[in-house]
Amino acid sequence: MSAWVGEHRIAQSDDIVMVEGNAYFPVGAVHDGVLTSTASKSLCLWKGMASYFDVTVEGSALKNAAFEYRHPSPLARRIKGRVAFWNGVSVRKD
C-alpha cells in the first residue's frame, strides 16, 4: 500500500496492519521530513491516546493528517510503532 498527497507518494509498505478501516504503516515506511509532531491528542477507549502529525509535502502542510498510538492498549498492540493517515492523505493499494 501507499499513502499519497496529490501526486506525491509519502509512504509505501507491504507490512500494513488494518484496524477499523485505517492502514497503519511502519513509521520507517514514511519518507523523511514528511511528519512533524503536533500537540494534538485524542482518546480512543480501546486503542488508547493518539498523537498527531502534520504531513508536509513541498512546503504545504496538512494539519494533523497522520496519527499514531505510541503506547497502545494491549488490545491494540499490533499498531505500536505505526502511523495512519487521513484528512487529505489518500491511502491505496499499489
Side-chain angles (χ1 to χ4, degrees):
M1 293 190 97
S2 295
W4 298 80
V5 175
E7 296 302 315
H8 299 278
R9 185 187 328 226
I10 62 167
Q12 182 177 17
S13 181
D14 293 327
D15 179 18
I16 300 296
V17 174
M18 296 297 296
V19 175
E20 295 183 328
N22 291 311
Y24 285 83
F25 290 76
V27 172
V30 181
H31 296 179
D32 291 338
V34 169
L35 300 178
T36 303
S37 184
T38 73
S40 296
K41 307 269 189 230
S42 67
L43 178 63
C44 173
L45 294 178
W46 79 272
K47 289 181 289 213
M49 185 69 65
S51 299
Y52 289 82
F53 300 90
D54 289 346
V55 172
T56 304
V57 175
E58 292 193 343
S60 295
L62 297 172
K63 298 292 183 190
N64 297 316
F67 57 94
E68 72 173 343
Y69 291 86
R70 292 184 182 131
H71 306 288
S73 71
L75 291 173
R77 65 185 172 271
R78 298 181 314 135
I79 60 174
K80 184 173 179 68
R82 296 175 176 273
V83 63
F85 299 98
W86 71 312
N87 202 22
V89 179
S90 173
V91 174
R92 55 188 183 244
K93 293 182 180 179
D94 292 325

